[in-house]
Amino acid sequence: VKHNFYIIPASSPVDRSMFTGGNTGVFITDAGVVVVDTKLAGYGPDILAKIRAVTSKPVTTIINTHTHGDHTGSNEGFPATVDIVAHENTKANMTKMDAFKGDKAQFLPKRTYQDKMTLGSGKDRIDLYYFGAGHTSGDTWVVYPAIRVLQTGDMFAWKDAPLVDRANGGSGVEFPKTIAKALGTIKDVDTVIPGHSPVMAPKDLQEYQRFMADLVAAVEAAKKSGKSAADAAAAINVTAKYPDYKSERVKAAVEAIYAEIP
């Protein structure tokens, strides 16, 4: 992407239908390699091979942006000595997963934070932020200040409605508010790495915040008018205002938000 920062994409560049998990960030520092999100289970060797193609430095740190298996699945593919970092709510969510039971508990986060954590310093600094519920209850925003890059995890996965994982503390109602807090705090970035899409710009994240605010407002209005969740999902078409957006996930998001509104 730039300088010492690489992305291993969410799907094969040769076959876009071959899904490997979320975008994996690879940040090469003086002390070693920091990996952000480890894809689905079984991709550890592939990730390590791609890293070895650009550096001989060891992987020292893994950051999991949230609990889902397409972002945490290959934690076990790295040495147990690697430092694993996540938000405290994400660790709590991960402990409920079968993938981290028994001996595999060693691949749970070793360090957690509440609101902000800084790793490294100078050109190697990484800032981790938590702004509230959205995709899950523990979504981390990863900022690389020296290279002006922001990695959003699945708080901005694609240009479509999000997956709102209410079982893991996600909130559709809070989603646009949480993005707004991030936009109000994170400055001086010019590159945005979504959870599952190609590299974007800050303006795309700003647009996504507006999209989500419009979607939540439409759902709240529909419920207030007495419509059922199914009728609301069929009637709401916020994508008309956002021509390059898909609507494949709008129905599920509308239903999740409906269930959340009292």
Side-chain angles (χ1 to χ4, degrees), residues 98-138:
D98 289 342
F100 295 101
K101 294 288 200 288
D103 288 346
K104 293 187 178 181
Q106 65 186 310
F107 300 108
L108 286 165
K110 298 174 174 67
R111 287 196 288 163
T112 63
Y113 73 101
Q114 288 186 321
D115 300 311
K116 183 182 178 183
M117 173 184 273
T118 295
L119 306 175
S121 61
K123 63 183 177 58
D124 293 339
R125 185 175 126 207
I126 303 172
D127 291 329
L128 309 182
Y129 293 93
Y130 175 71
F131 295 111
H135 180 58
T136 70
S137 64

PDB file of all heavy atoms in Angstrom, residues 98-138:
ATOM      1  N   ASP A  98     -15.536 -21.800  20.059  1.00  0.00           N
ATOM      2  CA  ASP A  98     -14.930 -23.126  20.151  1.00  0.00           C
ATOM      3  C   ASP A  98     -13.485 -23.107  19.663  1.00  0.00           C
ATOM      4  O   ASP A  98     -12.655 -23.899  20.127  1.00  0.00           O
ATOM      5  CB  ASP A  98     -15.735 -24.132  19.322  1.00  0.00           C
ATOM      6  CG  ASP A  98     -17.082 -24.465  19.949  1.00  0.00           C
ATOM      7  OD1 ASP A  98     -17.259 -24.193  21.162  1.00  0.00           O
ATOM      8  OD2 ASP A  98     -17.959 -24.980  19.229  1.00  0.00           O
ATOM      9  N   ALA A  99     -13.182 -22.192  18.717  1.00  0.00           N
ATOM     10  CA  ALA A  99     -11.842 -22.113  18.137  1.00  0.00           C
ATOM     11  C   ALA A  99     -10.769 -21.750  19.155  1.00  0.00           C
ATOM     12  O   ALA A  99      -9.575 -21.950  18.907  1.00  0.00           O
ATOM     13  CB  ALA A  99     -11.830 -21.096  16.997  1.00  0.00           C
ATOM     14  N   PHE A 100     -11.196 -21.214  20.321  1.00  0.00           N
ATOM     15  CA  PHE A 100     -10.224 -20.798  21.336  1.00  0.00           C
ATOM     16  C   PHE A 100     -10.410 -21.527  22.659  1.00  0.00           C
ATOM     17  O   PHE A 100     -10.017 -21.036  23.707  1.00  0.00           O
ATOM     18  CB  PHE A 100     -10.307 -19.276  21.529  1.00  0.00           C
ATOM     19  CG  PHE A 100      -9.900 -18.508  20.305  1.00  0.00           C
ATOM     20  CD1 PHE A 100     -10.857 -17.966  19.464  1.00  0.00           C
ATOM     21  CD2 PHE A 100      -8.559 -18.363  19.968  1.00  0.00           C
ATOM     22  CE1 PHE A 100     -10.487 -17.280  18.311  1.00  0.00           C
ATOM     23  CE2 PHE A 100      -8.182 -17.680  18.825  1.00  0.00           C
ATOM     24  CZ  PHE A 100      -9.145 -17.136  17.995  1.00  0.00           C
ATOM     25  N   LYS A 101     -10.985 -22.716  22.582  1.00  0.00           N
ATOM     26  CA  LYS A 101     -11.160 -23.537  23.777  1.00  0.00           C
ATOM     27  C   LYS A 101      -9.949 -24.463  23.977  1.00  0.00           C
ATOM     28  O   LYS A 101      -9.203 -24.771  23.050  1.00  0.00           O
ATOM     29  CB  LYS A 101     -12.431 -24.379  23.648  1.00  0.00           C
ATOM     30  CG  LYS A 101     -13.732 -23.584  23.627  1.00  0.00           C
ATOM     31  CD  LYS A 101     -14.064 -23.008  24.966  1.00  0.00           C
ATOM     32  CE  LYS A 101     -15.508 -22.638  25.127  1.00  0.00           C
ATOM     33  NZ  LYS A 101     -16.055 -21.528  24.477  1.00  0.00           N
ATOM     34  N   GLY A 102      -9.754 -24.914  25.198  1.00  0.00           N
ATOM     35  CA  GLY A 102      -8.706 -25.876  25.496  1.00  0.00           C
ATOM     36  C   GLY A 102      -7.315 -25.326  25.222  1.00  0.00           C
ATOM     37  O   GLY A 102      -6.998 -24.192  25.585  1.00  0.00           O
ATOM     38  N   ASP A 103      -6.491 -26.129  24.552  1.00  0.00           N
ATOM     39  CA  ASP A 103      -5.119 -25.732  24.263  1.00  0.00           C
ATOM     40  C   ASP A 103      -5.054 -24.480  23.390  1.00  0.00           C
ATOM     41  O   ASP A 103      -4.063 -23.742  23.425  1.00  0.00           O
ATOM     42  CB  ASP A 103      -4.364 -26.862  23.551  1.00  0.00           C
ATOM     43  CG  ASP A 103      -4.056 -28.027  24.483  1.00  0.00           C
ATOM     44  OD1 ASP A 103      -4.178 -27.839  25.714  1.00  0.00           O
ATOM     45  OD2 ASP A 103      -3.715 -29.117  23.984  1.00  0.00           O
ATOM     46  N   LYS A 104      -6.119 -24.242  22.609  1.00  0.00           N
ATOM     47  CA  LYS A 104      -6.100 -23.105  21.691  1.00  0.00           C
ATOM     48  C   LYS A 104      -6.368 -21.771  22.391  1.00  0.00           C
ATOM     49  O   LYS A 104      -6.310 -20.717  21.761  1.00  0.00           O
ATOM     50  CB  LYS A 104      -7.083 -23.332  20.551  1.00  0.00           C
ATOM     51  CG  LYS A 104      -6.642 -24.481  19.643  1.00  0.00           C
ATOM     52  CD  LYS A 104      -7.511 -24.613  18.418  1.00  0.00           C
ATOM     53  CE  LYS A 104      -6.998 -25.735  17.517  1.00  0.00           C
ATOM     54  NZ  LYS A 104      -7.813 -25.883  16.284  1.00  0.00           N
ATOM     55  N   ALA A 105      -6.626 -21.828  23.694  1.00  0.00           N
ATOM     56  CA  ALA A 105      -6.785 -20.587  24.459  1.00  0.00           C
ATOM     57  C   ALA A 105      -5.504 -19.761  24.458  1.00  0.00           C
ATOM     58  O   ALA A 105      -5.542 -18.544  24.693  1.00  0.00           O
ATOM     59  CB  ALA A 105      -7.210 -20.895  25.888  1.00  0.00           C
ATOM     60  N   GLN A 106      -4.384 -20.397  24.148  1.00  0.00           N
ATOM     61  CA  GLN A 106      -3.114 -19.664  24.089  1.00  0.00           C
ATOM     62  C   GLN A 106      -3.080 -18.661  22.938  1.00  0.00           C
ATOM     63  O   GLN A 106      -2.211 -17.794  22.899  1.00  0.00           O
ATOM     64  CB  GLN A 106      -1.948 -20.644  23.960  1.00  0.00           C
ATOM     65  CG  GLN A 106      -1.920 -21.435  22.671  1.00  0.00           C
ATOM     66  CD  GLN A 106      -0.829 -22.494  22.647  1.00  0.00           C
ATOM     67  OE1 GLN A 106       0.321 -22.195  22.939  1.00  0.00           O
ATOM     68  NE2 GLN A 106      -1.194 -23.733  22.309  1.00  0.00           N
ATOM     69  N   PHE A 107      -4.040 -18.770  22.006  1.00  0.00           N
ATOM     70  CA  PHE A 107      -4.079 -17.853  20.871  1.00  0.00           C
ATOM     71  C   PHE A 107      -5.128 -16.756  21.046  1.00  0.00           C
ATOM     72  O   PHE A 107      -5.448 -16.038  20.106  1.00  0.00           O
ATOM     73  CB  PHE A 107      -4.308 -18.629  19.574  1.00  0.00           C
ATOM     74  CG  PHE A 107      -3.223 -19.639  19.319  1.00  0.00           C
ATOM     75  CD1 PHE A 107      -3.467 -20.997  19.464  1.00  0.00           C
ATOM     76  CD2 PHE A 107      -1.942 -19.221  18.986  1.00  0.00           C
ATOM     77  CE1 PHE A 107      -2.462 -21.928  19.251  1.00  0.00           C
ATOM     78  CE2 PHE A 107      -0.922 -20.147  18.776  1.00  0.00           C
ATOM     79  CZ  PHE A 107      -1.187 -21.504  18.911  1.00  0.00           C
ATOM     80  N   LEU A 108      -5.655 -16.649  22.274  1.00  0.00           N
ATOM     81  CA  LEU A 108      -6.488 -15.506  22.638  1.00  0.00           C
ATOM     82  C   LEU A 108      -5.602 -14.275  22.837  1.00  0.00           C
ATOM     83  O   LEU A 108      -4.391 -14.409  23.048  1.00  0.00           O
ATOM     84  CB  LEU A 108      -7.248 -15.794  23.932  1.00  0.00           C
ATOM     85  CG  LEU A 108      -8.430 -16.760  23.843  1.00  0.00           C
ATOM     86  CD1 LEU A 108      -8.829 -17.223  25.247  1.00  0.00           C
ATOM     87  CD2 LEU A 108      -9.611 -16.108  23.130  1.00  0.00           C
ATOM     88  N   PRO A 109      -6.176 -13.069  22.805  1.00  0.00           N
ATOM     89  CA  PRO A 109      -5.378 -11.866  23.085  1.00  0.00           C
ATOM     90  C   PRO A 109      -4.682 -11.951  24.433  1.00  0.00           C
ATOM     91  O   PRO A 109      -5.272 -12.354  25.432  1.00  0.00           O
ATOM     92  CB  PRO A 109      -6.423 -10.753  23.058  1.00  0.00           C
ATOM     93  CG  PRO A 109      -7.478 -11.264  22.136  1.00  0.00           C
ATOM     94  CD  PRO A 109      -7.552 -12.735  22.403  1.00  0.00           C
ATOM     95  N   LYS A 110      -3.414 -11.557  24.451  1.00  0.00           N
ATOM     96  CA  LYS A 110      -2.628 -11.509  25.685  1.00  0.00           C
ATOM     97  C   LYS A 110      -2.718 -10.143  26.338  1.00  0.00           C
ATOM     98  O   LYS A 110      -2.520  -9.990  27.532  1.00  0.00           O
ATOM     99  CB  LYS A 110      -1.163 -11.843  25.376  1.00  0.00           C
ATOM    100  CG  LYS A 110      -0.950 -13.252  24.814  1.00  0.00           C
ATOM    101  CD  LYS A 110       0.493 -13.466  24.392  1.00  0.00           C
ATOM    102  CE  LYS A 110       0.756 -14.911  23.966  1.00  0.00           C
ATOM    103  NZ  LYS A 110       0.048 -15.288  22.729  1.00  0.00           N
ATOM    104  N   ARG A 111      -2.991  -9.129  25.509  1.00  0.00           N
ATOM    105  CA  ARG A 111      -3.146  -7.759  26.024  1.00  0.00           C
ATOM    106  C   ARG A 111      -4.428  -7.157  25.477  1.00  0.00           C
ATOM    107  O   ARG A 111      -4.781  -7.371  24.321  1.00  0.00           O
ATOM    108  CB  ARG A 111      -1.963  -6.885  25.606  1.00  0.00           C
ATOM    109  CG  ARG A 111      -0.692  -7.191  26.358  1.00  0.00           C
ATOM    110  CD  ARG A 111       0.313  -6.048  26.187  1.00  0.00           C
ATOM    111  NE  ARG A 111       0.875  -6.000  24.840  1.00  0.00           N
ATOM    112  CZ  ARG A 111       1.503  -4.936  24.339  1.00  0.00           C
ATOM    113  NH1 ARG A 111       1.587  -3.814  25.052  1.00  0.00           N
ATOM    114  NH2 ARG A 111       2.021  -4.985  23.126  1.00  0.00           N
ATOM    115  N   THR A 112      -5.117  -6.394  26.330  1.00  0.00           N
ATOM    116  CA  THR A 112      -6.351  -5.729  25.913  1.00  0.00           C
ATOM    117  C   THR A 112      -6.311  -4.266  26.338  1.00  0.00           C
ATOM    118  O   THR A 112      -5.438  -3.843  27.097  1.00  0.00           O
ATOM    119  CB  THR A 112      -7.598  -6.405  26.524  1.00  0.00           C
ATOM    120  OG1 THR A 112      -7.539  -6.291  27.951  1.00  0.00           O
ATOM    121  CG2 THR A 112      -7.693  -7.866  26.118  1.00  0.00           C
ATOM    122  N   TYR A 113      -7.277  -3.505  25.847  1.00  0.00           N
ATOM    123  CA  TYR A 113      -7.370  -2.090  26.212  1.00  0.00           C
ATOM    124  C   TYR A 113      -8.844  -1.700  26.275  1.00  0.00           C
ATOM    125  O   TYR A 113      -9.726  -2.462  25.834  1.00  0.00           O
ATOM    126  CB  TYR A 113      -6.604  -1.230  25.196  1.00  0.00           C
ATOM    127  CG  TYR A 113      -7.308  -1.105  23.859  1.00  0.00           C
ATOM    128  CD1 TYR A 113      -8.035   0.048  23.534  1.00  0.00           C
ATOM    129  CD2 TYR A 113      -7.271  -2.138  22.923  1.00  0.00           C
ATOM    130  CE1 TYR A 113      -8.700   0.154  22.325  1.00  0.00           C
ATOM    131  CE2 TYR A 113      -7.926  -2.034  21.717  1.00  0.00           C
ATOM    132  CZ  TYR A 113      -8.642  -0.890  21.421  1.00  0.00           C
ATOM    133  OH  TYR A 113      -9.318  -0.795  20.225  1.00  0.00           O
ATOM    134  N   GLN A 114      -9.116  -0.503  26.814  1.00  0.00           N
ATOM    135  CA  GLN A 114     -10.494  -0.025  26.932  1.00  0.00           C
ATOM    136  C   GLN A 114     -10.855   1.005  25.871  1.00  0.00           C
ATOM    137  O   GLN A 114     -11.822   0.828  25.141  1.00  0.00           O
ATOM    138  CB  GLN A 114     -10.722   0.583  28.319  1.00  0.00           C
ATOM    139  CG  GLN A 114     -10.776  -0.434  29.441  1.00  0.00           C
ATOM    140  CD  GLN A 114     -11.140   0.204  30.766  1.00  0.00           C
ATOM    141  OE1 GLN A 114     -10.695   1.307  31.087  1.00  0.00           O
ATOM    142  NE2 GLN A 114     -11.949  -0.464  31.559  1.00  0.00           N
ATOM    143  N   ASP A 115     -10.111   2.090  25.790  1.00  0.00           N
ATOM    144  CA  ASP A 115     -10.432   3.188  24.876  1.00  0.00           C
ATOM    145  C   ASP A 115      -9.347   3.444  23.838  1.00  0.00           C
ATOM    146  O   ASP A 115      -9.638   3.690  22.674  1.00  0.00           O
ATOM    147  CB  ASP A 115     -10.689   4.481  25.661  1.00  0.00           C
ATOM    148  CG  ASP A 115     -11.848   4.337  26.619  1.00  0.00           C
ATOM    149  OD1 ASP A 115     -12.914   3.854  26.184  1.00  0.00           O
ATOM    150  OD2 ASP A 115     -11.699   4.694  27.800  1.00  0.00           O
ATOM    151  N   LYS A 116      -8.086   3.417  24.261  1.00  0.00           N
ATOM    152  CA  LYS A 116      -6.982   3.656  23.338  1.00  0.00           C
ATOM    153  C   LYS A 116      -5.731   2.951  23.834  1.00  0.00           C
ATOM    154  O   LYS A 116      -5.491   2.874  25.043  1.00  0.00           O
ATOM    155  CB  LYS A 116      -6.700   5.157  23.192  1.00  0.00           C
ATOM    156  CG  LYS A 116      -5.601   5.475  22.182  1.00  0.00           C
ATOM    157  CD  LYS A 116      -5.306   6.968  22.090  1.00  0.00           C
ATOM    158  CE  LYS A 116      -4.167   7.231  21.108  1.00  0.00           C
ATOM    159  NZ  LYS A 116      -3.790   8.668  21.046  1.00  0.00           N
ATOM    160  N   MET A 117      -4.962   2.440  22.892  1.00  0.00           N
ATOM    161  CA  MET A 117      -3.668   1.836  23.210  1.00  0.00           C
ATOM    162  C   MET A 117      -2.684   2.221  22.118  1.00  0.00           C
ATOM    163  O   MET A 117      -3.032   2.255  20.939  1.00  0.00           O
ATOM    164  CB  MET A 117      -3.771   0.311  23.303  1.00  0.00           C
ATOM    165  CG  MET A 117      -2.426  -0.396  23.454  1.00  0.00           C
ATOM    166  SD  MET A 117      -2.569  -2.218  23.439  1.00  0.00           S
ATOM    167  CE  MET A 117      -2.892  -2.530  25.178  1.00  0.00           C
ATOM    168  N   THR A 118      -1.452   2.516  22.500  1.00  0.00           N
ATOM    169  CA  THR A 118      -0.395   2.812  21.535  1.00  0.00           C
ATOM    170  C   THR A 118       0.668   1.729  21.595  1.00  0.00           C
ATOM    171  O   THR A 118       1.139   1.372  22.679  1.00  0.00           O
ATOM    172  CB  THR A 118       0.236   4.190  21.809  1.00  0.00           C
ATOM    173  OG1 THR A 118      -0.753   5.205  21.585  1.00  0.00           O
ATOM    174  CG2 THR A 118       1.413   4.444  20.868  1.00  0.00           C
ATOM    175  N   LEU A 119       1.015   1.219  20.424  1.00  0.00           N
ATOM    176  CA  LEU A 119       2.077   0.229  20.296  1.00  0.00           C
ATOM    177  C   LEU A 119       3.231   0.877  19.540  1.00  0.00           C
ATOM    178  O   LEU A 119       3.014   1.544  18.533  1.00  0.00           O
ATOM    179  CB  LEU A 119       1.592  -1.002  19.525  1.00  0.00           C
ATOM    180  CG  LEU A 119       0.330  -1.705  20.032  1.00  0.00           C
ATOM    181  CD1 LEU A 119      -0.074  -2.817  19.074  1.00  0.00           C
ATOM    182  CD2 LEU A 119       0.543  -2.257  21.431  1.00  0.00           C
ATOM    183  N   GLY A 120       4.457   0.677  19.999  1.00  0.00           N
ATOM    184  CA  GLY A 120       5.609   1.228  19.310  1.00  0.00           C
ATOM    185  C   GLY A 120       5.699   2.734  19.438  1.00  0.00           C
ATOM    186  O   GLY A 120       4.920   3.377  20.153  1.00  0.00           O
ATOM    187  N   SER A 121       6.649   3.321  18.708  1.00  0.00           N
ATOM    188  CA  SER A 121       6.841   4.769  18.770  1.00  0.00           C
ATOM    189  C   SER A 121       7.463   5.257  17.464  1.00  0.00           C
ATOM    190  O   SER A 121       7.923   4.460  16.642  1.00  0.00           O
ATOM    191  CB  SER A 121       7.746   5.139  19.947  1.00  0.00           C
ATOM    192  OG  SER A 121       9.029   4.529  19.794  1.00  0.00           O
ATOM    193  N   GLY A 122       7.471   6.575  17.296  1.00  0.00           N
ATOM    194  CA  GLY A 122       8.063   7.161  16.103  1.00  0.00           C
ATOM    195  C   GLY A 122       7.399   6.647  14.843  1.00  0.00           C
ATOM    196  O   GLY A 122       6.179   6.527  14.767  1.00  0.00           O
ATOM    197  N   LYS A 123       8.215   6.292  13.846  1.00  0.00           N
ATOM    198  CA  LYS A 123       7.670   5.832  12.569  1.00  0.00           C
ATOM    199  C   LYS A 123       6.995   4.469  12.681  1.00  0.00           C
ATOM    200  O   LYS A 123       6.247   4.061  11.778  1.00  0.00           O
ATOM    201  CB  LYS A 123       8.776   5.773  11.513  1.00  0.00           C
ATOM    202  CG  LYS A 123       9.887   4.775  11.809  1.00  0.00           C
ATOM    203  CD  LYS A 123      10.967   4.832  10.743  1.00  0.00           C
ATOM    204  CE  LYS A 123      12.127   3.899  11.041  1.00  0.00           C
ATOM    205  NZ  LYS A 123      11.758   2.499  11.178  1.00  0.00           N
ATOM    206  N   ASP A 124       7.228   3.754  13.793  1.00  0.00           N
ATOM    207  CA  ASP A 124       6.642   2.432  14.001  1.00  0.00           C
ATOM    208  C   ASP A 124       5.385   2.460  14.867  1.00  0.00           C
ATOM    209  O   ASP A 124       4.836   1.403  15.204  1.00  0.00           O
ATOM    210  CB  ASP A 124       7.670   1.502  14.651  1.00  0.00           C
ATOM    211  CG  ASP A 124       8.840   1.191  13.734  1.00  0.00           C
ATOM    212  OD1 ASP A 124       8.696   1.345  12.499  1.00  0.00           O
ATOM    213  OD2 ASP A 124       9.911   0.816  14.255  1.00  0.00           O
ATOM    214  N   ARG A 125       4.921   3.646  15.209  1.00  0.00           N
ATOM    215  CA  ARG A 125       3.784   3.761  16.129  1.00  0.00           C
ATOM    216  C   ARG A 125       2.484   3.277  15.480  1.00  0.00           C
ATOM    217  O   ARG A 125       2.203   3.534  14.322  1.00  0.00           O
ATOM    218  CB  ARG A 125       3.630   5.218  16.558  1.00  0.00           C
ATOM    219  CG  ARG A 125       2.555   5.452  17.601  1.00  0.00           C
ATOM    220  CD  ARG A 125       2.568   6.902  18.052  1.00  0.00           C
ATOM    221  NE  ARG A 125       1.253   7.503  17.914  1.00  0.00           N
ATOM    222  CZ  ARG A 125       1.029   8.799  17.717  1.00  0.00           C
ATOM    223  NH1 ARG A 125       2.033   9.638  17.601  1.00  0.00           N
ATOM    224  NH2 ARG A 125      -0.191   9.265  17.618  1.00  0.00           N
ATOM    225  N   ILE A 126       1.692   2.587  16.298  1.00  0.00           N
ATOM    226  CA  ILE A 126       0.341   2.178  15.917  1.00  0.00           C
ATOM    227  C   ILE A 126      -0.593   2.591  17.042  1.00  0.00           C
ATOM    228  O   ILE A 126      -0.346   2.280  18.209  1.00  0.00           O
ATOM    229  CB  ILE A 126       0.242   0.650  15.724  1.00  0.00           C
ATOM    230  CG1 ILE A 126       1.243   0.164  14.668  1.00  0.00           C
ATOM    231  CG2 ILE A 126      -1.171   0.252  15.323  1.00  0.00           C
ATOM    232  CD1 ILE A 126       1.315  -1.351  14.569  1.00  0.00           C
ATOM    233  N   ASP A 127      -1.671   3.286  16.702  1.00  0.00           N
ATOM    234  CA  ASP A 127      -2.674   3.682  17.690  1.00  0.00           C
ATOM    235  C   ASP A 127      -3.934   2.848  17.493  1.00  0.00           C
ATOM    236  O   ASP A 127      -4.466   2.763  16.374  1.00  0.00           O
ATOM    237  CB  ASP A 127      -3.022   5.166  17.545  1.00  0.00           C
ATOM    238  CG  ASP A 127      -1.870   6.076  17.951  1.00  0.00           C
ATOM    239  OD1 ASP A 127      -1.094   5.690  18.839  1.00  0.00           O
ATOM    240  OD2 ASP A 127      -1.745   7.171  17.365  1.00  0.00           O
ATOM    241  N   LEU A 128      -4.414   2.248  18.575  1.00  0.00           N
ATOM    242  CA  LEU A 128      -5.643   1.460  18.554  1.00  0.00           C
ATOM    243  C   LEU A 128      -6.730   2.239  19.280  1.00  0.00           C
ATOM    244  O   LEU A 128      -6.507   2.741  20.388  1.00  0.00           O
ATOM    245  CB  LEU A 128      -5.434   0.110  19.242  1.00  0.00           C
ATOM    246  CG  LEU A 128      -4.231  -0.729  18.800  1.00  0.00           C
ATOM    247  CD1 LEU A 128      -4.210  -2.053  19.555  1.00  0.00           C
ATOM    248  CD2 LEU A 128      -4.245  -0.958  17.303  1.00  0.00           C
ATOM    249  N   TYR A 129      -7.887   2.345  18.646  1.00  0.00           N
ATOM    250  CA  TYR A 129      -8.999   3.103  19.226  1.00  0.00           C
ATOM    251  C   TYR A 129     -10.246   2.239  19.310  1.00  0.00           C
ATOM    252  O   TYR A 129     -10.519   1.418  18.427  1.00  0.00           O
ATOM    253  CB  TYR A 129      -9.345   4.307  18.354  1.00  0.00           C
ATOM    254  CG  TYR A 129      -8.317   5.397  18.276  1.00  0.00           C
ATOM    255  CD1 TYR A 129      -7.367   5.397  17.259  1.00  0.00           C
ATOM    256  CD2 TYR A 129      -8.313   6.460  19.182  1.00  0.00           C
ATOM    257  CE1 TYR A 129      -6.428   6.414  17.151  1.00  0.00           C
ATOM    258  CE2 TYR A 129      -7.383   7.479  19.079  1.00  0.00           C
ATOM    259  CZ  TYR A 129      -6.440   7.449  18.063  1.00  0.00           C
ATOM    260  OH  TYR A 129      -5.514   8.457  17.953  1.00  0.00           O
ATOM    261  N   TYR A 130     -11.037   2.495  20.361  1.00  0.00           N
ATOM    262  CA  TYR A 130     -12.376   1.921  20.475  1.00  0.00           C
ATOM    263  C   TYR A 130     -13.352   3.074  20.657  1.00  0.00           C
ATOM    264  O   TYR A 130     -13.191   3.898  21.560  1.00  0.00           O
ATOM    265  CB  TYR A 130     -12.469   0.972  21.677  1.00  0.00           C
ATOM    266  CG  TYR A 130     -13.870   0.452  21.905  1.00  0.00           C
ATOM    267  CD1 TYR A 130     -14.433  -0.463  21.015  1.00  0.00           C
ATOM    268  CD2 TYR A 130     -14.631   0.882  22.985  1.00  0.00           C
ATOM    269  CE1 TYR A 130     -15.725  -0.933  21.202  1.00  0.00           C
ATOM    270  CE2 TYR A 130     -15.917   0.411  23.190  1.00  0.00           C
ATOM    271  CZ  TYR A 130     -16.464  -0.497  22.292  1.00  0.00           C
ATOM    272  OH  TYR A 130     -17.748  -0.953  22.481  1.00  0.00           O
ATOM    273  N   PHE A 131     -14.368   3.132  19.792  1.00  0.00           N
ATOM    274  CA  PHE A 131     -15.323   4.250  19.839  1.00  0.00           C
ATOM    275  C   PHE A 131     -16.743   3.819  20.182  1.00  0.00           C
ATOM    276  O   PHE A 131     -17.646   4.650  20.215  1.00  0.00           O
ATOM    277  CB  PHE A 131     -15.329   4.992  18.502  1.00  0.00           C
ATOM    278  CG  PHE A 131     -14.024   5.674  18.189  1.00  0.00           C
ATOM    279  CD1 PHE A 131     -13.211   5.220  17.171  1.00  0.00           C
ATOM    280  CD2 PHE A 131     -13.598   6.765  18.939  1.00  0.00           C
ATOM    281  CE1 PHE A 131     -12.000   5.846  16.879  1.00  0.00           C
ATOM    282  CE2 PHE A 131     -12.397   7.396  18.663  1.00  0.00           C
ATOM    283  CZ  PHE A 131     -11.596   6.930  17.628  1.00  0.00           C
ATOM    284  N   GLY A 132     -16.942   2.523  20.432  1.00  0.00           N
ATOM    285  CA  GLY A 132     -18.277   2.074  20.799  1.00  0.00           C
ATOM    286  C   GLY A 132     -18.743   0.933  19.910  1.00  0.00           C
ATOM    287  O   GLY A 132     -18.054   0.471  18.999  1.00  0.00           O
ATOM    288  N   ALA A 133     -19.960   0.469  20.198  1.00  0.00           N
ATOM    289  CA  ALA A 133     -20.521  -0.692  19.500  1.00  0.00           C
ATOM    290  C   ALA A 133     -20.856  -0.366  18.050  1.00  0.00           C
ATOM    291  O   ALA A 133     -21.145   0.776  17.690  1.00  0.00           O
ATOM    292  CB  ALA A 133     -21.762  -1.181  20.229  1.00  0.00           C
ATOM    293  N   GLY A 134     -20.843  -1.404  17.240  1.00  0.00           N
ATOM    294  CA  GLY A 134     -21.201  -1.275  15.828  1.00  0.00           C
ATOM    295  C   GLY A 134     -21.355  -2.657  15.239  1.00  0.00           C
ATOM    296  O   GLY A 134     -22.369  -3.325  15.415  1.00  0.00           O
ATOM    297  N   HIS A 135     -20.327  -3.116  14.550  1.00  0.00           N
ATOM    298  CA  HIS A 135     -20.320  -4.465  13.984  1.00  0.00           C
ATOM    299  C   HIS A 135     -20.392  -5.498  15.105  1.00  0.00           C
ATOM    300  O   HIS A 135     -21.135  -6.477  15.023  1.00  0.00           O
ATOM    301  CB  HIS A 135     -19.039  -4.617  13.161  1.00  0.00           C
ATOM    302  CG  HIS A 135     -18.854  -5.947  12.511  1.00  0.00           C
ATOM    303  ND1 HIS A 135     -19.776  -6.479  11.635  1.00  0.00           N
ATOM    304  CD2 HIS A 135     -17.838  -6.857  12.590  1.00  0.00           C
ATOM    305  CE1 HIS A 135     -19.340  -7.660  11.208  1.00  0.00           C
ATOM    306  NE2 HIS A 135     -18.177  -7.912  11.782  1.00  0.00           N
ATOM    307  N   THR A 136     -19.600  -5.286  16.164  1.00  0.00           N
ATOM    308  CA  THR A 136     -19.640  -6.073  17.396  1.00  0.00           C
ATOM    309  C   THR A 136     -19.531  -5.096  18.562  1.00  0.00           C
ATOM    310  O   THR A 136     -19.657  -3.886  18.380  1.00  0.00           O
ATOM    311  CB  THR A 136     -18.469  -7.086  17.464  1.00  0.00           C
ATOM    312  OG1 THR A 136     -17.239  -6.369  17.645  1.00  0.00           O
ATOM    313  CG2 THR A 136     -18.384  -7.935  16.202  1.00  0.00           C
ATOM    314  N   SER A 137     -19.252  -5.617  19.748  1.00  0.00           N
ATOM    315  CA  SER A 137     -19.072  -4.736  20.916  1.00  0.00           C
ATOM    316  C   SER A 137     -17.617  -4.357  21.135  1.00  0.00           C
ATOM    317  O   SER A 137     -17.300  -3.656  22.096  1.00  0.00           O
ATOM    318  CB  SER A 137     -19.585  -5.441  22.180  1.00  0.00           C
ATOM    319  OG  SER A 137     -18.792  -6.598  22.444  1.00  0.00           O
ATOM    320  N   GLY A 138     -16.720  -4.812  20.244  1.00  0.00           N
ATOM    321  CA  GLY A 138     -15.299  -4.584  20.511  1.00  0.00           C
ATOM    322  C   GLY A 138     -14.460  -4.242  19.305  1.00  0.00           C
ATOM    323  O   GLY A 138     -13.312  -4.670  19.193  1.00  0.00           O
TER     324      GLY A 138
END
